[in-house]
Amino acid sequence: FGRLIGQYRDSFILLEDDHGLVIVDQHVAHERVLYDRILRRLEEGEAPSQGLLTPRLLELGEAMTAAVPVVEDLLRRAGIEAEVFGPDTIKVSSVPPELEPEAVDQVVEEILDRATALDGVPERAVEELSEEIAASLSCRGAIKVNRELSRPEQQALLEDLVTTDNPYRCPHGRPIILRLSQEEMERLLGRR
């Protein structure tokens, strides 16, 4: 993307290329990297997982609890170990390393809610849920704005971003990169 200049306000990575200034949103860039990585894991069926010291018990209602067996394998491939623990309760005992344990409740609830909505369309459910699981995990696992990154961390993120399927858009469609040409900057600053 150009020559690395540094980080701006612990939220954006700045670079320069032959045409001008390149601004990379570090959160959505990392989200894109994680999304592609998680989708590959879901396809390959190999996800790292870390056990929780204290399993999370989620009371989600009977409909969502009934959806657990439908998506149990998909959750496991994503690194989430979840099982029915009662008529309206599930137990989550492990999560992928990208996911903070506090975020697991919302992620699992979103996935099960979507699984119940797709209940009548099983042939689409796995594909759509795979993409939604990857998007949900990547969004919550991505580095946040206002987080200082060392120069090697900035460089590593940019190198990972280049290898993604779409380094210009996050999984939700937001732009990752903003380019300001030299001419545009000069015009905005009254030099042209």
Side-chain angles (χ1 to χ4, degrees), residues 16-74:
E16 68 175 325
D17 65 12
D18 293 340
H19 305 288
L21 184 65
V22 179
I23 304 166
V24 177
D25 183 322
Q26 70 188 31
H27 171 74
V28 291
H30 193 224
E31 186 176 342
R32 180 77 224 187
V33 168
L34 291 177
Y35 176 79
D36 282 25
R37 190 177 297 157
I38 292 166
L39 264 185
R40 274 192 302 277
R41 282 190 216 148
L42 287 169
E43 290 167 5
E44 296 166 1
E46 297 177 24
S49 186
Q50 56 190 24
L52 299 174
L53 291 175
T54 305
R56 311 272 303 177
L57 295 178
L58 311 176
E59 291 184 24
L60 301 174
E62 289 183 28
M64 281 198 225
T65 302
V68 170
V70 175
V71 295
E72 194 171 16
D73 182 57
L74 195 56

CSV table of all heavy atoms in Angstrom, one decimal, residues 16-74:
chain,number,residue,atom,x,y,z
A,16,GLU,N,2.4,6.4,2.6
A,16,GLU,CA,2.4,7.3,1.4
A,16,GLU,C,2.8,6.4,0.2
A,16,GLU,O,3.7,5.5,0.3
A,16,GLU,CB,3.4,8.4,1.5
A,16,GLU,CG,4.8,8.1,1.6
A,16,GLU,CD,5.7,9.3,1.7
A,16,GLU,OE1,5.4,10.4,1.1
A,16,GLU,OE2,6.8,9.3,2.4
A,17,ASP,N,2.2,6.7,-1.0
A,17,ASP,CA,2.6,6.0,-2.2
A,17,ASP,C,2.9,7.0,-3.2
A,17,ASP,O,3.0,8.2,-3.0
A,17,ASP,CB,1.6,5.0,-2.6
A,17,ASP,CG,0.2,5.6,-3.0
A,17,ASP,OD1,0.2,6.8,-3.2
A,17,ASP,OD2,-0.7,4.8,-3.2
A,18,ASP,N,3.1,6.6,-4.5
A,18,ASP,CA,3.5,7.6,-5.5
A,18,ASP,C,2.4,8.6,-5.8
A,18,ASP,O,2.7,9.6,-6.4
A,18,ASP,CB,3.8,6.8,-6.8
A,18,ASP,CG,5.0,6.0,-6.7
A,18,ASP,OD1,5.9,6.3,-5.8
A,18,ASP,OD2,5.2,5.0,-7.5
A,19,HIS,N,1.2,8.3,-5.4
A,19,HIS,CA,0.1,9.2,-5.7
A,19,HIS,C,-0.4,10.1,-4.6
A,19,HIS,O,-1.1,11.1,-4.8
A,19,HIS,CB,-1.1,8.4,-6.2
A,19,HIS,CG,-0.8,7.5,-7.3
A,19,HIS,ND1,-0.6,7.9,-8.6
A,19,HIS,CD2,-0.6,6.1,-7.4
A,19,HIS,CE1,-0.2,6.9,-9.4
A,19,HIS,NE2,-0.2,5.8,-8.6
A,20,GLY,N,0.0,9.7,-3.3
A,20,GLY,CA,-0.4,10.6,-2.2
A,20,GLY,C,-0.4,9.8,-0.9
A,20,GLY,O,0.4,9.0,-0.6
A,21,LEU,N,-1.5,10.1,-0.1
A,21,LEU,CA,-1.6,9.6,1.3
A,21,LEU,C,-2.6,8.4,1.3
A,21,LEU,O,-3.6,8.5,0.7
A,21,LEU,CB,-2.1,10.7,2.2
A,21,LEU,CG,-2.1,10.4,3.7
A,21,LEU,CD1,-0.8,10.1,4.3
A,21,LEU,CD2,-2.8,11.6,4.4
A,22,VAL,N,-2.2,7.4,2.0
A,22,VAL,CA,-3.1,6.2,2.2
A,22,VAL,C,-3.4,6.1,3.6
A,22,VAL,O,-2.4,6.0,4.5
A,22,VAL,CB,-2.4,4.9,1.6
A,22,VAL,CG1,-3.3,3.7,1.8
A,22,VAL,CG2,-1.9,5.1,0.2
A,23,ILE,N,-4.6,6.0,4.0
A,23,ILE,CA,-5.1,5.9,5.4
A,23,ILE,C,-5.8,4.5,5.5
A,23,ILE,O,-6.7,4.2,4.8
A,23,ILE,CB,-6.0,7.0,5.8
A,23,ILE,CG1,-5.4,8.4,5.5
A,23,ILE,CG2,-6.5,6.9,7.2
A,23,ILE,CD1,-6.3,9.5,5.5
A,24,VAL,N,-5.3,3.7,6.5
A,24,VAL,CA,-5.9,2.4,6.7
A,24,VAL,C,-6.5,2.4,8.1
A,24,VAL,O,-5.9,2.7,9.1
A,24,VAL,CB,-4.8,1.3,6.6
A,24,VAL,CG1,-5.4,-0.1,6.9
A,24,VAL,CG2,-4.1,1.3,5.3
A,25,ASP,N,-7.8,2.0,8.2
A,25,ASP,CA,-8.5,1.9,9.4
A,25,ASP,C,-8.1,0.5,10.1
A,25,ASP,O,-8.4,-0.5,9.5
A,25,ASP,CB,-10.0,1.9,9.2
A,25,ASP,CG,-10.8,1.8,10.5
A,25,ASP,OD1,-10.4,1.1,11.4
A,25,ASP,OD2,-11.9,2.5,10.5
A,26,GLN,N,-7.3,0.6,11.2
A,26,GLN,CA,-6.7,-0.6,11.7
A,26,GLN,C,-7.8,-1.6,12.2
A,26,GLN,O,-7.6,-2.8,12.1
A,26,GLN,CB,-5.8,-0.3,12.9
A,26,GLN,CG,-6.4,0.3,14.1
A,26,GLN,CD,-5.4,0.8,15.1
A,26,GLN,OE1,-4.3,1.3,14.8
A,26,GLN,NE2,-5.7,0.7,16.4
A,27,HIS,N,-8.9,-1.1,12.7
A,27,HIS,CA,-9.9,-2.1,13.2
A,27,HIS,C,-10.5,-2.9,12.1
A,27,HIS,O,-10.6,-4.1,12.1
A,27,HIS,CB,-11.1,-1.4,14.0
A,27,HIS,CG,-12.2,-2.3,14.3
A,27,HIS,ND1,-12.2,-3.2,15.3
A,27,HIS,CD2,-13.4,-2.4,13.7
A,27,HIS,CE1,-13.3,-3.9,15.3
A,27,HIS,NE2,-14.1,-3.4,14.4
A,28,VAL,N,-11.0,-2.2,11.0
A,28,VAL,CA,-11.6,-3.0,9.9
A,28,VAL,C,-10.6,-3.7,9.1
A,28,VAL,O,-10.9,-4.8,8.6
A,28,VAL,CB,-12.5,-2.1,9.0
A,28,VAL,CG1,-13.7,-1.6,9.8
A,28,VAL,CG2,-11.8,-0.9,8.5
A,29,ALA,N,-9.3,-3.3,9.1
A,29,ALA,CA,-8.3,-4.1,8.4
A,29,ALA,C,-8.1,-5.4,9.2
A,29,ALA,O,-8.0,-6.5,8.5
A,29,ALA,CB,-7.0,-3.3,8.4
A,30,HIS,N,-8.0,-5.3,10.5
A,30,HIS,CA,-7.8,-6.5,11.3
A,30,HIS,C,-9.0,-7.4,11.2
A,30,HIS,O,-8.9,-8.6,11.2
A,30,HIS,CB,-7.5,-6.2,12.7
A,30,HIS,CG,-6.9,-7.3,13.5
A,30,HIS,ND1,-7.4,-7.6,14.8
A,30,HIS,CD2,-6.1,-8.3,13.2
A,30,HIS,CE1,-6.7,-8.7,15.2
A,30,HIS,NE2,-6.0,-9.2,14.3
A,31,GLU,N,-10.2,-6.8,11.2
A,31,GLU,CA,-11.5,-7.5,11.0
A,31,GLU,C,-11.4,-8.4,9.7
A,31,GLU,O,-11.8,-9.5,9.7
A,31,GLU,CB,-12.6,-6.6,11.0
A,31,GLU,CG,-14.0,-7.2,11.1
A,31,GLU,CD,-15.1,-6.2,11.2
A,31,GLU,OE1,-14.9,-5.0,11.5
A,31,GLU,OE2,-16.2,-6.5,10.8
A,32,ARG,N,-11.0,-7.7,8.6
A,32,ARG,CA,-10.9,-8.5,7.4
A,32,ARG,C,-9.9,-9.6,7.4
A,32,ARG,O,-10.2,-10.7,6.9
A,32,ARG,CB,-10.5,-7.5,6.3
A,32,ARG,CG,-10.4,-8.1,4.9
A,32,ARG,CD,-11.8,-8.2,4.4
A,32,ARG,NE,-12.0,-9.5,3.7
A,32,ARG,CZ,-13.1,-9.8,3.1
A,32,ARG,NH1,-14.0,-9.0,2.9
A,32,ARG,NH2,-13.2,-11.0,2.6
A,33,VAL,N,-8.8,-9.4,8.0
A,33,VAL,CA,-7.8,-10.5,8.2
A,33,VAL,C,-8.4,-11.6,9.0
A,33,VAL,O,-8.3,-12.8,8.6
A,33,VAL,CB,-6.5,-9.9,8.9
A,33,VAL,CG1,-5.6,-11.0,9.3
A,33,VAL,CG2,-5.8,-8.9,8.0
A,34,LEU,N,-9.0,-11.3,10.1
A,34,LEU,CA,-9.6,-12.4,10.9
A,34,LEU,C,-10.7,-13.1,10.2
A,34,LEU,O,-10.9,-14.3,10.3
A,34,LEU,CB,-10.1,-11.8,12.3
A,34,LEU,CG,-9.0,-11.3,13.2
A,34,LEU,CD1,-9.7,-10.7,14.5
A,34,LEU,CD2,-8.1,-12.4,13.6
A,35,TYR,N,-11.5,-12.4,9.5
A,35,TYR,CA,-12.7,-12.9,8.8
A,35,TYR,C,-12.2,-14.0,7.8
A,35,TYR,O,-12.7,-15.1,7.8
A,35,TYR,CB,-13.4,-11.8,8.0
A,35,TYR,CG,-14.6,-12.3,7.2
A,35,TYR,CD1,-15.8,-12.7,7.7
A,35,TYR,CD2,-14.4,-12.4,5.8
A,35,TYR,CE1,-16.9,-13.1,7.0
A,35,TYR,CE2,-15.5,-12.9,5.0
A,35,TYR,CZ,-16.7,-13.2,5.6
A,35,TYR,OH,-17.7,-13.7,4.8
A,36,ASP,N,-11.2,-13.7,7.0
A,36,ASP,CA,-10.7,-14.6,6.0
A,36,ASP,C,-10.1,-15.8,6.7
A,36,ASP,O,-10.3,-17.0,6.3
A,36,ASP,CB,-9.7,-14.0,5.1
A,36,ASP,CG,-10.3,-13.1,4.0
A,36,ASP,OD1,-11.4,-12.6,4.2
A,36,ASP,OD2,-9.6,-12.9,3.0
A,37,ARG,N,-9.4,-15.6,7.8
A,37,ARG,CA,-8.7,-16.7,8.6
A,37,ARG,C,-9.8,-17.6,9.2
A,37,ARG,O,-9.6,-18.8,9.1
A,37,ARG,CB,-7.8,-16.1,9.7
A,37,ARG,CG,-6.9,-17.0,10.4
A,37,ARG,CD,-6.1,-16.3,11.4
A,37,ARG,NE,-5.2,-15.4,10.7
A,37,ARG,CZ,-4.6,-14.3,11.4
A,37,ARG,NH1,-4.9,-14.1,12.6
A,37,ARG,NH2,-3.8,-13.5,10.7
A,38,ILE,N,-10.8,-17.0,9.7
A,38,ILE,CA,-11.9,-17.9,10.4
A,38,ILE,C,-12.6,-18.6,9.3
A,38,ILE,O,-13.0,-19.8,9.5
A,38,ILE,CB,-12.8,-17.0,11.3
A,38,ILE,CG1,-12.0,-16.4,12.5
A,38,ILE,CG2,-14.0,-17.7,11.7
A,38,ILE,CD1,-12.6,-15.3,13.2
A,39,LEU,N,-12.9,-18.0,8.2
A,39,LEU,CA,-13.7,-18.7,7.1
A,39,LEU,C,-12.8,-19.9,6.6
A,39,LEU,O,-13.4,-21.0,6.4
A,39,LEU,CB,-13.9,-17.8,5.9
A,39,LEU,CG,-15.3,-17.1,5.8
A,39,LEU,CD1,-15.4,-16.4,4.5
A,39,LEU,CD2,-16.4,-18.1,6.0
A,40,ARG,N,-11.5,-19.8,6.5
A,40,ARG,CA,-10.7,-20.9,6.1
A,40,ARG,C,-10.7,-22.0,7.1
A,40,ARG,O,-10.8,-23.2,6.8
A,40,ARG,CB,-9.2,-20.4,5.9
A,40,ARG,CG,-8.9,-19.9,4.5
A,40,ARG,CD,-7.5,-19.7,4.3
A,40,ARG,NE,-6.8,-18.9,5.2
A,40,ARG,CZ,-6.7,-17.5,5.1
A,40,ARG,NH1,-7.4,-16.9,4.1
A,40,ARG,NH2,-6.1,-16.8,6.0
A,41,ARG,N,-10.7,-21.6,8.4
A,41,ARG,CA,-10.8,-22.6,9.5
A,41,ARG,C,-12.1,-23.4,9.4
A,41,ARG,O,-12.2,-24.6,9.6
A,41,ARG,CB,-10.7,-22.0,10.8
A,41,ARG,CG,-9.3,-21.6,11.2
A,41,ARG,CD,-9.3,-21.2,12.7
A,41,ARG,NE,-8.4,-20.2,12.9
A,41,ARG,CZ,-8.5,-19.2,13.8
A,41,ARG,NH1,-9.6,-19.2,14.6
A,41,ARG,NH2,-7.6,-18.3,14.0
A,42,LEU,N,-13.2,-22.7,9.2
A,42,LEU,CA,-14.5,-23.3,9.1
A,42,LEU,C,-14.6,-24.3,7.9
A,42,LEU,O,-15.2,-25.3,8.0
A,42,LEU,CB,-15.6,-22.2,8.9
A,42,LEU,CG,-15.9,-21.4,10.2
A,42,LEU,CD1,-16.9,-20.3,9.9
A,42,LEU,CD2,-16.6,-22.3,11.3
A,43,GLU,N,-13.9,-23.9,6.8
A,43,GLU,CA,-13.9,-24.8,5.7
A,43,GLU,C,-13.0,-26.1,5.9
A,43,GLU,O,-13.3,-27.2,5.5
A,43,GLU,CB,-13.4,-24.1,4.4
A,43,GLU,CG,-14.4,-23.0,3.9
A,43,GLU,CD,-13.7,-22.1,2.9
A,43,GLU,OE1,-12.6,-22.3,2.5
A,43,GLU,OE2,-14.5,-21.2,2.5
A,44,GLU,N,-11.9,-25.8,6.6
A,44,GLU,CA,-10.9,-26.9,6.9
A,44,GLU,C,-11.3,-27.8,8.1
A,44,GLU,O,-10.9,-28.9,8.2
A,44,GLU,CB,-9.5,-26.4,7.1
A,44,GLU,CG,-9.0,-25.7,5.8
A,44,GLU,CD,-7.8,-24.8,6.1
A,44,GLU,OE1,-7.3,-24.8,7.3
A,44,GLU,OE2,-7.3,-24.2,5.2
A,45,GLY,N,-12.2,-27.2,9.0
A,45,GLY,CA,-12.6,-27.9,10.1
A,45,GLY,C,-11.6,-27.9,11.3
A,45,GLY,O,-11.7,-28.7,12.2
A,46,GLU,N,-10.6,-27.1,11.2
A,46,GLU,CA,-9.5,-27.0,12.2
A,46,GLU,C,-9.5,-25.6,12.9
A,46,GLU,O,-9.0,-24.7,12.3
A,46,GLU,CB,-8.2,-27.4,11.6
A,46,GLU,CG,-8.1,-28.7,11.0
A,46,GLU,CD,-6.7,-29.0,10.4
A,46,GLU,OE1,-5.7,-28.3,10.8
A,46,GLU,OE2,-6.7,-29.8,9.5
A,47,ALA,N,-10.0,-25.5,14.1
A,47,ALA,CA,-10.0,-24.3,14.8
A,47,ALA,C,-9.3,-24.4,16.1
A,47,ALA,O,-9.6,-25.3,16.9
A,47,ALA,CB,-11.4,-23.7,15.0
A,48,PRO,N,-8.4,-23.5,16.4
A,48,PRO,CA,-7.8,-23.5,17.8
A,48,PRO,C,-8.9,-23.1,18.7
A,48,PRO,O,-9.8,-22.4,18.4
A,48,PRO,CB,-6.7,-22.4,17.7
A,48,PRO,CG,-7.0,-21.6,16.6
A,48,PRO,CD,-7.8,-22.4,15.6
A,49,SER,N,-8.8,-23.6,19.9
A,49,SER,CA,-9.8,-23.3,20.9
A,49,SER,C,-9.1,-23.3,22.3
A,49,SER,O,-8.2,-24.0,22.5
A,49,SER,CB,-10.9,-24.4,20.9
A,49,SER,OG,-11.9,-24.1,21.7
A,50,GLN,N,-9.7,-22.4,23.2
A,50,GLN,CA,-9.1,-22.4,24.5
A,50,GLN,C,-10.3,-22.6,25.5
A,50,GLN,O,-11.3,-22.0,25.4
A,50,GLN,CB,-8.4,-21.1,24.8
A,50,GLN,CG,-9.2,-19.8,24.5
A,50,GLN,CD,-8.3,-18.6,24.6
A,50,GLN,OE1,-7.1,-18.6,24.4
A,50,GLN,NE2,-9.0,-17.4,24.9
A,51,GLY,N,-10.1,-23.5,26.4
A,51,GLY,CA,-11.1,-23.8,27.4
A,51,GLY,C,-11.3,-22.7,28.4
A,51,GLY,O,-10.3,-22.0,28.7
A,52,LEU,N,-12.5,-22.5,28.8
A,52,LEU,CA,-12.8,-21.4,29.8
A,52,LEU,C,-12.6,-22.1,31.2
A,52,LEU,O,-13.0,-23.2,31.4
A,52,LEU,CB,-14.2,-20.9,29.6
A,52,LEU,CG,-14.5,-20.3,28.3
A,52,LEU,CD1,-16.0,-20.0,28.2
A,52,LEU,CD2,-13.7,-19.0,28.1
A,53,LEU,N,-12.0,-21.3,32.1
A,53,LEU,CA,-11.9,-21.8,33.5
A,53,LEU,C,-13.2,-22.1,34.1
A,53,LEU,O,-13.4,-23.1,34.8
A,53,LEU,CB,-11.1,-20.8,34.3
A,53,LEU,CG,-9.6,-20.7,34.0
A,53,LEU,CD1,-9.0,-19.6,34.9
A,53,LEU,CD2,-8.9,-22.0,34.2
A,54,THR,N,-14.2,-21.2,33.8
A,54,THR,CA,-15.5,-21.4,34.3
A,54,THR,C,-16.4,-21.3,33.1
A,54,THR,O,-16.5,-20.3,32.4
A,54,THR,CB,-15.9,-20.2,35.3
A,54,THR,OG1,-15.0,-20.2,36.3
A,54,THR,CG2,-17.3,-20.5,35.8
A,55,PRO,N,-17.1,-22.5,32.7
A,55,PRO,CA,-17.9,-22.5,31.5
A,55,PRO,C,-19.0,-21.4,31.7
A,55,PRO,O,-19.5,-21.1,32.8
A,55,PRO,CB,-18.5,-23.9,31.5
A,55,PRO,CG,-17.5,-24.7,32.3
A,55,PRO,CD,-17.0,-23.8,33.3
A,56,ARG,N,-19.5,-20.9,30.6
A,56,ARG,CA,-20.6,-19.9,30.6
A,56,ARG,C,-21.9,-20.6,30.4
A,56,ARG,O,-22.0,-21.4,29.5
A,56,ARG,CB,-20.4,-18.9,29.4
A,56,ARG,CG,-19.0,-18.3,29.3
A,56,ARG,CD,-18.7,-17.1,30.0
A,56,ARG,NE,-19.6,-16.0,29.7
A,56,ARG,CZ,-19.5,-14.9,30.4
A,56,ARG,NH1,-18.6,-14.7,31.3
A,56,ARG,NH2,-20.4,-13.9,30.1
A,57,LEU,N,-22.9,-20.3,31.2
A,57,LEU,CA,-24.2,-20.8,31.1
A,57,LEU,C,-25.1,-19.7,30.6
A,57,LEU,O,-25.2,-18.6,31.1
A,57,LEU,CB,-24.7,-21.3,32.4
A,57,LEU,CG,-24.0,-22.5,33.1
A,57,LEU,CD1,-24.6,-22.9,34.4
A,57,LEU,CD2,-24.0,-23.7,32.1
A,58,LEU,N,-25.7,-20.0,29.4
A,58,LEU,CA,-26.5,-19.0,28.8
A,58,LEU,C,-28.0,-19.4,28.7
A,58,LEU,O,-28.3,-20.5,28.2
A,58,LEU,CB,-26.1,-18.7,27.3
A,58,LEU,CG,-24.6,-18.5,27.1
A,58,LEU,CD1,-24.2,-18.3,25.7
A,58,LEU,CD2,-24.1,-17.2,27.9
A,59,GLU,N,-28.9,-18.7,29.3
A,59,GLU,CA,-30.3,-19.0,29.2
A,59,GLU,C,-30.8,-18.2,28.0
A,59,GLU,O,-31.0,-17.0,28.0
A,59,GLU,CB,-31.0,-18.5,30.5
A,59,GLU,CG,-30.6,-19.4,31.7
A,59,GLU,CD,-31.4,-19.0,33.0
A,59,GLU,OE1,-32.5,-18.4,32.8
A,59,GLU,OE2,-30.8,-19.2,34.0
A,60,LEU,N,-31.2,-19.0,27.0
A,60,LEU,CA,-31.5,-18.4,25.7
A,60,LEU,C,-33.0,-18.7,25.2
A,60,LEU,O,-33.4,-18.3,24.2
A,60,LEU,CB,-30.6,-18.8,24.6
A,60,LEU,CG,-29.1,-18.4,24.9
A,60,LEU,CD1,-28.2,-19.1,23.8
A,60,LEU,CD2,-28.9,-16.9,24.9
A,61,GLY,N,-33.7,-19.5,26.0
A,61,GLY,CA,-35.0,-19.9,25.5
A,61,GLY,C,-35.0,-21.2,24.8
A,61,GLY,O,-33.9,-21.6,24.3
A,62,GLU,N,-36.1,-21.8,24.7
A,62,GLU,CA,-36.2,-23.2,24.2
A,62,GLU,C,-35.9,-23.2,22.7
A,62,GLU,O,-35.2,-24.2,22.2
A,62,GLU,CB,-37.6,-23.8,24.5
A,62,GLU,CG,-37.8,-24.1,25.9
A,62,GLU,CD,-39.1,-24.8,26.2
A,62,GLU,OE1,-39.6,-25.5,25.3
A,62,GLU,OE2,-39.6,-24.7,27.3
A,63,ALA,N,-36.3,-22.3,21.9
A,63,ALA,CA,-36.1,-22.3,20.5
A,63,ALA,C,-34.6,-22.2,20.1
A,63,ALA,O,-34.1,-23.0,19.3
A,63,ALA,CB,-36.9,-21.1,19.8
A,64,MET,N,-33.9,-21.3,20.8
A,64,MET,CA,-32.5,-21.2,20.5
A,64,MET,C,-31.7,-22.4,21.0
A,64,MET,O,-30.8,-22.9,20.4
A,64,MET,CB,-31.9,-19.9,21.1
A,64,MET,CG,-32.2,-18.7,20.2
A,64,MET,SD,-31.1,-17.4,20.7
A,64,MET,CE,-32.3,-16.0,20.8
A,65,THR,N,-32.1,-22.9,22.2
A,65,THR,CA,-31.5,-24.1,22.7
A,65,THR,C,-31.7,-25.3,21.8
A,65,THR,O,-30.7,-26.1,21.6
A,65,THR,CB,-32.0,-24.4,24.2
A,65,THR,OG1,-31.8,-23.2,25.0
A,65,THR,CG2,-31.3,-25.5,24.8
A,66,ALA,N,-32.8,-25.4,21.2
A,66,ALA,CA,-33.1,-26.5,20.3
A,66,ALA,C,-32.3,-26.4,19.0
A,66,ALA,O,-32.0,-27.4,18.4
A,66,ALA,CB,-34.6,-26.5,19.9
A,67,ALA,N,-31.8,-25.2,18.7
A,67,ALA,CA,-30.9,-25.0,17.5
A,67,ALA,C,-29.5,-25.5,17.7
A,67,ALA,O,-28.7,-25.6,16.7
A,67,ALA,CB,-31.0,-23.6,17.1
A,68,VAL,N,-29.1,-25.7,19.0
A,68,VAL,CA,-27.7,-26.1,19.2
A,68,VAL,C,-27.3,-27.3,18.5
A,68,VAL,O,-26.2,-27.3,17.8
A,68,VAL,CB,-27.4,-26.2,20.8
A,68,VAL,CG1,-26.1,-26.8,21.0
A,68,VAL,CG2,-27.5,-24.8,21.4
A,69,PRO,N,-28.0,-28.4,18.5
A,69,PRO,CA,-27.6,-29.6,17.8
A,69,PRO,C,-27.4,-29.4,16.3
A,69,PRO,O,-26.5,-30.0,15.6
A,69,PRO,CB,-28.7,-30.6,18.0
A,69,PRO,CG,-29.3,-30.2,19.3
A,69,PRO,CD,-29.2,-28.7,19.3
A,70,VAL,N,-28.2,-28.4,15.7
A,70,VAL,CA,-28.1,-28.1,14.3
A,70,VAL,C,-26.7,-27.5,13.9
A,70,VAL,O,-26.2,-27.7,12.9
A,70,VAL,CB,-29.3,-27.2,13.8
A,70,VAL,CG1,-29.1,-26.8,12.4
A,70,VAL,CG2,-30.6,-27.9,14.1
A,71,VAL,N,-26.3,-26.6,14.8
A,71,VAL,CA,-25.1,-25.8,14.5
A,71,VAL,C,-23.9,-26.2,15.4
A,71,VAL,O,-22.8,-25.6,15.3
A,71,VAL,CB,-25.3,-24.3,14.7
A,71,VAL,CG1,-26.3,-23.8,13.7
A,71,VAL,CG2,-25.7,-24.0,16.1
A,72,GLU,N,-24.0,-27.3,16.2
A,72,GLU,CA,-22.9,-27.7,17.1
A,72,GLU,C,-21.6,-28.0,16.4
A,72,GLU,O,-20.6,-27.5,16.8
A,72,GLU,CB,-23.4,-29.0,17.9
A,72,GLU,CG,-22.5,-29.3,19.1
A,72,GLU,CD,-23.2,-30.4,19.9
A,72,GLU,OE1,-24.1,-31.1,19.4
A,72,GLU,OE2,-22.7,-30.6,21.0
A,73,ASP,N,-21.7,-28.7,15.3
A,73,ASP,CA,-20.4,-29.0,14.5
A,73,ASP,C,-19.8,-27.7,14.0
A,73,ASP,O,-18.6,-27.5,14.0
A,73,ASP,CB,-20.7,-30.0,13.4
A,73,ASP,CG,-19.5,-30.3,12.6
A,73,ASP,OD1,-18.5,-30.8,13.3
A,73,ASP,OD2,-19.4,-30.1,11.4
A,74,LEU,N,-20.7,-26.8,13.4
A,74,LEU,CA,-20.2,-25.5,12.9
A,74,LEU,C,-19.5,-24.7,14.0
A,74,LEU,O,-18.5,-24.1,13.8
A,74,LEU,CB,-21.3,-24.8,12.2
A,74,LEU,CG,-21.0,-23.6,11.3
A,74,LEU,CD1,-20.1,-24.1,10.2
A,74,LEU,CD2,-22.3,-23.1,10.8
